[in-house]
Amino acid sequence: MFDFMTLEEVQERGPLVHNITNIVVANDSANGLLAIGASPIMASAKQEMDELAKMADVLVINIGTLDGELVEAMKIAGRAANLAETPVVLDPVGVGATSYRRKVVQGLLAEIQFAAIRGNAGELAAIAGEAWEAKGVDAGVGSADVLAIAEKVAKEWNTVVIISGEVDVISDGTRFAKVANGSALLPRITGSGCLLSAVCGSFIAVQDDVFRASVEACASYAVASEYAEMELERKLPGSFRPLFLDALASWSVEKTRAKAKILESGEHK
């Protein structure tokens, strides 16, 4: 099922990815998207959201650094994207950390149809209403089954759920896949999850099957991180960051196929 040709579609078509994202990761997200061949636009003025929804191939909403004006822009952009049939991806950064973040995400989910939601286990557990001990924007720990959380949220909100971690879990409520790739250095650089959300968006922009696009995006991204780590003499995050950007710029179908470790539905009970 996963032939990774979506990766080549991104490189060939260069989808326009509209990011409403946080101030911590905007630069890294833009550079990462450029590296894979996508075209980023980082815009949050509510006055231009309607026009951008018609121009963009996908909208990625990231709640990392919130304020009232930004939330309003997110809602306007999301509704406009839905009307334009432009797919929308949600990254609910730290949704369980404060009551304000929970309220914002509940409002976004109520008003916008999301093609995909990507976050860590703690963030998706918060959306699912499952008990979980998270610290700020970190994944934290919990006893709930991650696959069950993914399926629950996917069914409730009619979306594809991507839970990032040591093993990524992707589900559309009926299908699931696990991606067992990725460098241990990814969690040690700021914005690696936020960039993954944007990368998933770029894949979704060129592939009608959102589930397939999400799995291929996660695997391609994780495999690139492994190639980057292979170039390091010492396993340090500061050295890893530029090598990871280079690995994204030089990724290929062949490289991804060679290392991807994907467990598909029907292979897990």
Side-chain angles (χ1 to χ4, degrees):
M1 176 184 179
F2 304 109
D3 58 11
F4 297 101
M5 298 308 294
T6 311
L7 186 156
E8 287 194 344
E9 282 289 305
V10 171
Q11 294 171 322
E12 291 172 4
R13 291 171 54 180
L16 179 61
V17 183
H18 175 199
N19 299 268
I20 303 179
T21 192
N22 71 76
I23 60 173
V24 179
V25 305
N27 182 68
D28 288 326
S29 294
N31 282 326
L33 286 170
L34 286 170
I36 67 172
S39 179
I41 181 167
M42 325 302 280
S44 58
K46 61 184 180 182
Q47 292 85 353
E48 60 182 345
M49 293 299 102
D50 286 335
E51 289 180 71
L52 285 171
K54 298 171 185 175
M55 295 167 49
D57 295 301
V58 66
L59 167 64
V60 180
I61 293 175
N62 178 306
I63 72 159
T65 49
L66 287 173
D67 62 54
E69 282 285 312
L70 191 62
V71 172
E72 186 178 354
M74 290 174 177
K75 290 182 177 181
I76 294 170
R79 292 194 297 263
N82 283 170
L83 286 173
E85 297 186 347
T86 301
V88 189
V89 176
L90 174 65
D91 188 333
V93 179
V95 59
T98 66
S99 58
Y100 179 58
R101 286 177 182 269
R102 289 191 292 273
K103 181 180 178 181
V104 166
V105 168
Q106 288 166 1
L108 293 172
L109 288 169
E111 295 189 35
I112 302 165
Q113 177 59 54
F114 290 96
I117 302 172
R118 195 232 50 97
N120 62 39
E123 290 159 352
L124 269 298
I127 293 175
E130 298 288 343
W132 202 272
E133 292 185 18
K135 179 182 179 183
V137 301
D138 295 335
V141 294
S143 58
D145 180 75
V146 175
L147 178 57
I149 289 172
E151 291 178 338
K152 179 178 179 179
V153 175
K155 288 179 178 177
E156 182 174 0
W157 298 106
N158 188 29
T159 190
V160 170
V161 171
I162 305 152
I163 302 183
S164 301
E166 187 174 346
V167 175
D168 295 340
V169 172
I170 303 96
S171 177
D172 64 0
T174 56
R175 294 176 291 175
F176 92 89
K178 293 181 178 180
V179 177
N181 292 95
S183 168
L185 289 167
L186 279 175
R188 297 182 64 192
I189 61 171
T190 300
S192 60
C194 299
L195 175 54
L196 175 56
S197 295
V199 170
C200 287
S202 70
F203 275 58
I204 291 166
V206 302
Q207 168 60 253
D208 291 336
D209 185 339
V210 176
F211 174 76
R212 174 185 164 188
S214 300
V215 175
E216 292 193 3
C218 288
S220 300
Y221 188 85
V223 166
S225 75
E226 292 178 356
Y227 279 108
E229 185 177 343
M230 288 167 58
E231 299 295 320
L232 288 172
E233 292 184 9
R234 299 175 63 195
K235 310 299 184 185
L236 298 173
S239 303
F240 172 74
R241 183 188 290 274
L243 289 173
F244 180 46
L245 189 65
D246 288 346
L248 290 172
S250 59
W251 68 0
S252 68
V253 171
E254 293 74 24
K255 285 183 176 181
T256 304
R257 284 177 180 165
K259 292 180 71 70
K261 301 174 185 175
I262 300 174
L263 178 70
E264 297 183 53
S265 55
E267 300 178 47
H268 171 81
K269 302 294 184 183

